Amino acid sequence: MGPNQEFKNELDRLIDHQLLPGERDFVWTYDRTVLLESVRVLEHAGQADWERPTPCADWDLRALVSHMAGQHHGFAAAADGAGADLRHWRPRPLPLDDDPPGDDPIAVYRAAVTRVVESFARPGAAERRFDLPEISTTRTFPAAVAVEFHFLDHTVHTWDMAKAIGLDWEPADDIAEAALTVALRVPDDERRRAPGAAFGPARTPARDGRPFDLVLTALGRSPAWTP
């Protein structure tokens, strides 16, 4: 093993230590709570809402939900030991208005949530190292770290969905504070300015901002966003 590999292994060890300063079991519970909330929010979507803009500049509601469903399936595959295959991470197509009766885009999303909840709860998932190829193809991540990524991503995207539909939604303060802990560890560097970046450059928060407002501004969102 050459010196470069030794350095990489040491860097990975330090990253894992930094991201896991103590007991992180809470994030599994919070993750499931927000997943169920995301279904509840989406169930308010009507037929006219799927083309509405979202705080994700390039995505309408249909594209956002398609992305979220794909991420849920990808993280479920990672929990099952198959996350390295990028096919699991592809956005899931949602039925269109002229598709056969009975096809329901909300059902597609609900099925994705069910799958990731079941995979995260499966015995052994908490001890597995997850392949997350959209983040790195050269290293794996401890389960708790991977679940933190998933938790932060879909907590913010649930807010995105609610904004698109016209709902006033944000997580409870304890969940928002947990999300802020994760959000503040996301590097705020030139990668946030690249096309297709998951998050934009951090914004200056308001002095009297609520906990979830701080999450949004840390990730480049404006709490005051409107369509």
Side-chain angles (χ1 to χ4, degrees), residues 156-186:
V156 174
H157 280 329
T158 298
W159 178 84
D160 292 335
M161 288 196 306
K163 280 290 186 179
I165 297 169
L167 298 179
D168 184 18
W169 178 89
E170 63 180 49
D173 282 355
D174 59 335
I175 296 178
E177 289 165 4
L180 181 60
T181 299
V182 183
L184 292 176
R185 292 201 297 263
V186 178

Side-chain angles (χ1 to χ4, degrees), residues 1-2 6-7 17 39 53 58 66 80 91 111 125 146 153 168 173 176-177 185-187 193 201 203 211:
M1 180 171 62
E6 290 178 359
F7 172 76
H17 178 72
V39 173
D58 296 330
S66 175
D80 295 339
D153 188 57
D168 184 18
D173 282 355
E177 289 165 4
R185 292 201 297 263
V186 178
R193 296 170 174 81
R203 295 169 175 259

